[in-house]
Amino acid sequence: TLDRSSAASDVYKRQLPAVEAGSLGPWPKRWRAVVLEPGHSPSTALAIALKAIGIVSTGSPLEIVERISEDVAAREEGVILFVDQCEELVTVADQNSVAHFVEVISLLAERGQVGIKVVVGIRRDILDSVLGLGRLGSIVARGILLVEPLTAASWEAVVEQSLGAYGYSFEDEAL
């Protein structure tokens, strides 16, 4: 869903819809946004996200990247891949799955192909660990844009939403 209360809310609510509408320039005129969170199995999360836009992600990382490139050219529609909570690669993900995922993302980002963009969201307190992910870390370091921390009110909304996802809430102050 694009309606989130997180540090990435501006990307979800404003930037991705603008990109899908063609705000990145004359070609391609339309873009398909793919949003994923790596979770425990980043390779599976990537496969599910790409399948949602009609791209099969079986095979080697290079084969997957070639398939994405061919799809962009054939449809004349760009693909923007937004990896939210990229820090999960170093906090909760299965390391066997991480290597494959990192290779695909690194290849996509290194190519710099017109019509393919990769954006990652990473918590600042875990940034160093993500920067240690070899080629991906180097790519992130070259293209980094730091975003101002959340305000107290924003943090409260994030915590409330996170607790609500697990069926919890803050205690009533009247108690």
Side-chain angles (χ1 to χ4, degrees):
T1 178
L2 296 182
D3 185 24
R4 292 183 159 214
S5 177
S6 70
S9 64
D10 184 60
V11 172
Y12 284 110
K13 293 179 183 176
R14 295 189 185 108
Q15 305 306 318
L16 288 181
V19 167
E20 288 177 318
S23 69
L24 290 180
W27 194 93
K29 291 183 180 185
R30 295 199 33 86
W31 290 76
R32 291 167 289 156
V34 179
V35 180
L36 70 102
E37 295 173 2
H40 291 286
S41 181
S43 294
T44 301
L46 179 62
I48 291 168
L50 291 175
K51 183 178 180 182
I53 60 168
I55 299 174
V56 177
S57 62
T58 57
S60 72
L62 184 58
E63 290 170 330
I64 294 168
V65 169
E66 291 293 335
R67 206 169 293 119
I68 294 169
S69 297
E70 291 166 2
D71 183 78
V72 166
R75 292 180 188 233
E76 295 188 2
E77 285 186 338
V79 171
I80 183 165
L81 179 63
F82 178 57
V83 183
D84 192 12
Q85 299 183 31
C86 192
E87 67 273 3
E88 290 180 347
L89 295 174
V90 296
T91 59
V92 299
D94 172 60
Q95 292 308 298
N96 293 325
S97 183
V98 168
H100 184 264
F101 179 88
V102 165
E103 184 67 14
V104 172
I105 300 302
S106 297
L107 286 169
L108 284 172
E110 286 174 344
R111 280 185 167 209
Q113 179 179 335
V114 174
I116 299 175
K117 302 288 182 196
V118 178
V119 177
V120 296
I122 306 167
R123 280 183 21 207
R124 191 177 295 186
D125 62 325
I126 304 180
L127 180 59
D128 285 347
S129 296
V130 175
L131 292 177
L133 289 174
R135 288 173 45 204
L136 181 61
S138 297
I139 292 165
V140 169
R142 285 193 309 265
I144 199 164
L145 172 65
L146 298 176
V147 179
E148 187 174 307
L150 295 173
T151 64
S154 296
W155 267 116
E156 184 176 328
V158 168
V159 171
E160 286 177 359
Q161 181 183 10
S162 297
L163 288 171
Y166 293 99
Y168 296 103
S169 65
F170 282 119
E171 290 186 38
D172 188 336
E173 292 178 340
L175 299 175

